[in-house]
Amino acid sequence: MQKLVLPSQETLSLSRYPDRKNETLMPFDASDELVLSHFHENESSAQNVLVIEDNFGALSLGLKEITKSIFTDSFVSSKGILENCLSNKISAPKIINDLQNIDKEYDFVVIKLPKNMSYFEDLLITISRVCPIGTKIICAAMIKHLPTSAFTLLEKYIGPVTTSLAKKKARLLFSTIEKVPQELSSPYPIQVQMPGFSEKFSNHSNVFSREKLDQGSRFLLEHIPSRDYKNILDLGCGNGIIGIKAKMKNPDSHIHFADESFMAIKSAKENYQKYFSDEAFFHWTNCFENGEKNFFDLVLCNPPFHQNNTVGDFIAWQMFNDAAKVLKKGGQLRVIGNRHLGYHIKLARLFSKVDMVEGNKKFVIIDAFK
Ligand SMILES: C[S@@+](CC[C@H](N)C(=O)[O-])C[C@H]1O[C@@H](n2cnc3c(N)ncnc32)[C@H](O)[C@@H]1O
């Protein structure tokens, strides 16, 4: 737990989600602090704020009197914000997770700049459609994560951009909606042809590798096993391509998809329905925490190595732990990873047997049996 001292001198206790022992990563950064001091010093008339992509609540709890809604695509952030509201005894504002549900007008929109500029574009199109002329937009970013395309997109969809002075390597971008709200329609979800698949994939703007097939996914797709699996989990499913291929190779099995991105789950659902008419199961969750124990015969996983701008193998490690819990005895986890990540060493700590299935210059595919 970390203390965040607000400009009013009030203190918030904030944790990341999940709240791990000996956590070294911070639940907030200098760009959050810059937003809070900006509001304290300059925006005393603000009343009706939409906060977008707040990581763990520094912005929405720090602006608790004026935050009316929060929008985030992330389950991890949604849960983290709710837990931090509880531990600080603050009643939670409304959290919206589907972009289509941003339908009210706000006088301020605060955006913690996401890493993915397609998603940022989709957010700006939505805001420019929903909010009236005069709505102020503030984007917060650490300078090392601030691409020039963020300026270009703000100018294209909102209006001219000014910036704050840099403080502790953070900066704010300011813009005000000055165009008549346009009947702009977002290009997302985009429809993408994937090699080896007859139907185009529907990819929402914050989905992993939304424009083309990732090299790791391509290699894993070539090695989807086929046996008498009853229940299969696509863990960290993105647009669902791995689980869909697993269903093609195991037509009698039931497929479950899990991801922490709401847009990933939405895409996976749309894509599954393009191919199959039976029921599949979709879990918007963190890794596979709280999943039913001893249930799955096969878990397929292409783990992420970052969550937004935070890089590390901590998510892969939790995915492996969760897979070990939800697999039946003898059940199989098939993982793809970059060669240098050494996943086999980690897996050997959790599973009774670990085998190398295949490798190329960049990737290895590993089986771990419970
Ligand atoms: C490398 S991508 C793989 C996507 C897809 N399976 C594929 O192969 O194209 C990793 C996926 O894990 C998801 N992810 C990241 N953190 C997660 C978490 N804490 N819990 C569940 N899913 C997570 C990401 O949203 C992303 O879709």
Side-chain angles (χ1 to χ4, degrees), residues 72-296:
T72 175
D73 182 53
S74 160
F75 178 89
V76 168
S77 293
S78 304
K79 195 78 201 274
I81 294 168
L82 290 174
E83 301 263 303
N84 283 325
C85 283
L86 261 181
S87 57
N88 289 277
K89 301 194 170 58
I90 292 173
S91 53
K94 179 173 161 195
I95 303 187
I96 305 168
N97 302 112
D98 189 336
L99 212 46
Q100 285 185 342
N101 295 341
I102 298 186
D103 51 5
K104 278 230 297 290
E105 297 183 355
Y106 300 89
D107 53 20
F108 260 101
V109 181
V110 177
I111 309 176
K112 179 92 179 194
L113 193 72
K115 185 176 168 146
N116 166 356
M117 286 296 108
S118 305
Y119 177 44
F120 184 53
E121 180 175 24
D122 206 8
L123 289 168
L124 294 180
I125 293 173
T126 304
I127 294 163
S128 76
R129 280 216 321 258
V130 171
C131 295
I133 290 177
T135 305
K136 293 185 181 176
I137 316 291
I138 299 181
C139 290
M142 298 306 293
I143 292 167
K144 65 176 176 191
H145 299 140
L146 180 54
T148 47
S149 51
F151 291 80
T152 318
L153 290 169
L154 267 169
E155 280 183 350
K156 177 168 178 193
Y157 294 108
I158 305 295
V161 180
T162 57
T163 61
S164 70
L165 293 175
K167 193 168 174 196
K168 290 204 254 170
K169 300 186 180 160
R171 199 185 276 288
L172 304 182
L173 313 187
F174 304 104
S175 191
T176 302
I177 297 185
E178 68 164 20
K179 303 179 177 111
V180 177
Q182 305 152 44
E183 274 316 303
L184 262 182
S185 62
S186 169
Y188 295 98
I190 50 174
Q191 306 300 315
V192 181
Q193 191 70 58
M194 297 293 187
F197 288 83
S198 58
E199 301 295 326
K200 287 188 172 168
F201 275 69
S202 175
N203 291 340
H204 286 269
S205 61
N206 203 23
V207 168
F208 170 78
S209 209
R210 72 213 134 267
E211 268 154 28
K212 61 177 185 359
L213 188 59
D214 165 68
Q215 282 181 53
S217 318
R218 182 191 294 263
F219 194 42
L220 181 57
L221 283 169
E222 291 165 10
H223 296 92
I224 303 291
S226 165
R227 245 175 45 197
D228 54 345
Y229 303 113
K230 186 165 172 227
N231 293 307
I232 299 178
L233 171 63
D234 178 353
L235 180 52
C237 63
N239 65 8
I241 192 163
I242 301 294
I244 288 170
K245 182 76 175 193
K247 177 74 176 177
M248 289 168 171
K249 296 197 76 172
N250 299 275
D252 295 331
S253 59
H254 302 291
I255 313 288
H256 291 243
F257 295 87
D259 206 289
E260 78 95 32
S261 156
F262 192 89
M263 288 196 185
I265 293 296
K266 209 169 165 178
S267 304
K269 220 179 254 181
E270 289 168 15
N271 293 326
Y272 190 86
Q273 285 164 357
K274 289 188 181 192
Y275 284 96
F276 310 106
S277 55
D278 70 335
E279 192 185 3
F281 303 87
F282 297 89
H283 308 263
W284 184 52
T285 184
N286 172 39
C287 299
F288 209 58
E289 61 182 16
N290 309 321
E292 187 177 338
K293 295 202 171 98
N294 307 315
F295 180 78
F296 288 98

